[in-house]
Amino acid sequence: MSNNDVVITGLGATTPLGGDVASTWDGLLAGRSGVAALEEDWVERYDLPVKIAAKLEVEPTEVLPRVQARRLDRCEQVAMIAARQAWADAGLGEDGVEPERLAVVIGTGIGGAHTLLDQDDLLETKGIRKVSPLTVPMLMPNGPAAHVGLELKARAGVHAPVSACASGAEAIAWAWRMLRNGEADVIVAGGAESAIAAITMAGFAQARTMSTRNDEPQRASRPWDVDRDGFVLGEGSGIMVLERGEYAKARGAAVYGRLAGIGTSADSYHITGPDPEGVGQTRAISVAVRSAGLEPEDIGHVNAHATSTPVGDVGETVAIRKALGEHPVLTAPKGALGHLLGAAGAVEAIATVLSIRDGIIPPTLNLEEQDPGVVQDVVAGEPRKLDLTAAVCDSFGFGGHNVALTFVPA
C-alpha cells in the first residue's frame, strides 16, 4: 500500500432506510422505499402540491442525548450521528489520531433550515427575547462540520463545501486532495442534510422539479423510468473515515476499499439546468478515472446521481457514455432513498464502496419501463451480483457543480 493511497476505514449513515449503514444497505438491496406521505400540518395549510418525502427512519432525538439534541439543528444532529458511527467503525478511539493530523470535511446544500425558520417565527410572534443565542451556530452551513470537528478535536482543518446536491461528494473529493497533499493522516468526510420544510417543498414544487405522485409515495421516485415526474425530497447523512494508506496499514486498520481518483468540474451554463451536451459532467467522470490511473474500460459500474427528473436522468447517461462507453452497469439509489440533497453523494458513495466489497449492485427502484434514451444496462427488479475492479459514483448540483469519485477494492 503506497503512501499516496487513500483508503476508507469507517462508514456511518442515517437515512430514510435505516439508522445506520447496515440497515440502509439492507434496505437498498431489498428494494425497500423510504418515501411516505407527510403528516405535517403545513402540507394542507399551504395547499402544497407535493405531499410526500423521504424522512429519516430513526429520529435523531432517539439517538442523541436530549440536551445535545436541543443545541443542534437537525442537519447537525444527523451529521453527528453518522460521524460517530464512522469513527467507531474505523476503530480509532479517543486518542487514535494526533489532532494536528486529523481533519473534518462535511458538506451540506442548505444547512440549518429548520433553525432559521423556527427562530424567525419566534422573533415575529414573541419577540427577540425568545430567540435562541445558539441560532447562528445552529443555522450556519458549516455547523455540521464544526460540531464534528469540535467533538473529535480535529486541528488539521474543518471544512464545509456547499455545492448544492454535489456537496457530500465534493467533501469526499476534498478529503482525497488533502490526504494526497500530506495535510492530514485521517479525515472524516461526507455530507448532511435535513431540509424537509414548507418553504423548501414549496420552492422545489414551484420549480416543477418534484414528483406529485402523492397517492403512491413508494412508487414516486422513478429514476430512468418513462413515467418519472420529478424527485422526492429526503434527509440524512453519510460519513466516511478516509486515511493515508501507510497510516492505516501501520495501525492495522480494516479497509473497505480505496478512493483511487476524483474529478470535479463546473458547467457554467445555467443556475439550475445542466449543460445539455453534458460537457462538465463528462469531464468530471473522465478526470476521476484518469486520476485513478485507470482507463474507461476498467469501470464496471456507475452509481448514478439520477434524481428522477425528466431531463436530468437521460442527460447524465449521455455524459457517462461519452466518458466511459456503454459497458458500465448503472444503478440509482434515489429510487429508494429519495434525494438527500447535500448528503446524497456521500450516502451513495458508501453504497458504491459496499457494492465493490460485496460484489453486488442494488436495484433501481420503480424502474418499470426504461426510457429509450437510456441505452445502458440498468440494474432493476433484483440486486445483481457482479465482481467489480472499479466503480464510479457521480453527483451533480444546482449551479453546475459536478463531482465524480472512483473507488477500487482494498
Side-chain angles (χ1 to χ4, degrees):
M1 192 175 294
S2 84
N3 205 38
N4 278 334
D5 283 340
V6 174
V7 300
I8 301 107
T9 59
L11 300 175
T14 181
T15 75
L17 291 179
D20 55 24
V21 169
S23 56
T24 297
W25 183 234
D26 288 346
L28 285 172
L29 292 176
R32 189 162 57 85
S33 172
V35 181
L38 285 169
E39 299 178 354
E40 282 77 1
D41 59 5
W42 43 257
V43 175
E44 299 303 328
R45 186 193 321 157
Y46 298 118
D47 191 25
L48 295 182
V50 178
K51 307 177 189 299
I52 56 176
K55 299 187 71 175
L56 293 168
E57 185 168 82
V58 178
E59 279 297 306
T61 51
E62 297 175 8
V63 180
L64 294 170
R66 182 169 173 268
V67 173
Q68 183 180 39
R70 289 182 60 187
R71 295 175 177 176
L72 299 173
D73 181 83
R74 190 174 175 90
C75 179
E76 297 168 340
Q77 292 173 358
V78 296
M80 188 66 75
I81 290 168
R84 285 176 176 171
Q85 291 176 12
W87 188 259
D89 189 36
L92 286 159
E94 292 185 9
D95 303 311
V97 189
E98 287 293 328
E100 289 75 15
R101 301 297 299 168
L102 171 64
V104 171
V105 189
I106 299 177
T108 183
I110 295 175
H114 293 287
T115 293
L116 179 60
L117 295 168
D118 292 346
Q119 296 301 314
D120 183 65
D121 285 345
L122 284 174
L123 177 62
E124 292 186 13
T125 59
K126 297 186 178 181
I128 190 171
R129 292 184 180 275
K130 293 296 182 180
V131 175
S132 170
L134 297 176
T135 295
V136 173
M138 290 173 69
L139 68 81
M140 61 191 190
N142 63 311
H147 280 287
V148 172
L150 283 167
E151 177 159 295
L152 298 178
K153 299 179 174 62
R155 294 176 186 163
V158 174
H159 306 287
V162 180
S163 304
C165 307
S167 300
E170 185 156 336
I172 294 170
W174 198 327
W176 183 85
R177 290 192 180 107
M178 290 183 69
L179 290 166
R180 298 264 295 190
N181 287 338
E183 298 175 47
D185 292 322
V186 178
I187 301 183
V188 177
E193 200 80 87
S194 180
I196 299 174
I199 186 61
T200 49
M201 297 284 290
F204 282 127
Q206 286 294 91
R208 301 186 184 279
T209 58
M210 299 182 73
S211 174
T212 56
R213 199 184 292 261
N214 298 312
D215 295 334
E216 299 179 295
Q218 295 191 344
R219 298 181 69 239
S221 184
R222 319 176 60 82
W224 296 314
D225 190 82
V226 292
D227 289 330
R228 66 191 183 279
D229 67 334
F231 71 83
V232 175
L233 187 59
E235 61 179 349
S237 178
I239 302 290
M240 291 182 173
V241 174
L242 302 108
E243 304 184 33
R244 288 191 310 106
E246 288 292 332
Y247 187 87
K249 181 180 179 180
R251 72 179 189 87
V255 174
Y256 283 97
R258 290 192 294 123
L259 176 56
I262 62 100
T264 60
S265 70
D267 286 351
S268 296
Y269 173 78
H270 189 272
I271 192 62
T272 58
D275 179 349
E277 301 297 323
V279 175
Q281 295 180 1
T282 302
R283 185 185 309 114
I285 297 169
S286 295
V287 172
V289 174
R290 189 166 62 248
S291 64
L294 300 174
E295 299 296 330
E297 54 267 28
D298 297 321
I299 307 300
H301 167 51
V302 176
N303 187 304
H305 184 68
T307 61
S308 187
T309 56
V311 175
D313 284 14
V314 174
E316 179 181 2
T317 64
V318 172
I320 293 170
R321 191 165 71 244
K322 288 180 178 178
L324 303 175
E326 295 182 5
H327 67 278
V329 176
L330 310 186
T331 195
K334 291 183 181 68
L337 291 163
H339 193 349
L340 276 57
L341 302 184
V347 171
E348 291 162 15
I350 289 172
T352 309
V353 170
L354 295 178
S355 282
I356 293 176
R357 183 196 68 176
D358 296 346
I360 191 166
I361 301 172
T364 301
L365 205 60
N366 300 320
L367 180 53
E368 297 169 1
E369 183 179 351
Q370 189 165 313
D371 191 306
V374 180
V375 301
Q376 289 98 325
D377 182 4
V378 178
V379 179
E382 298 291 334
R384 186 181 304 179
K385 292 184 179 180
L386 190 67
D387 289 333
L388 298 168
T389 56
V392 166
C393 177
D394 57 34
S395 295
F396 313 121
F398 280 2
H401 305 283
N402 307 307
V403 180
L405 309 170
T406 299
F407 295 100
V408 299

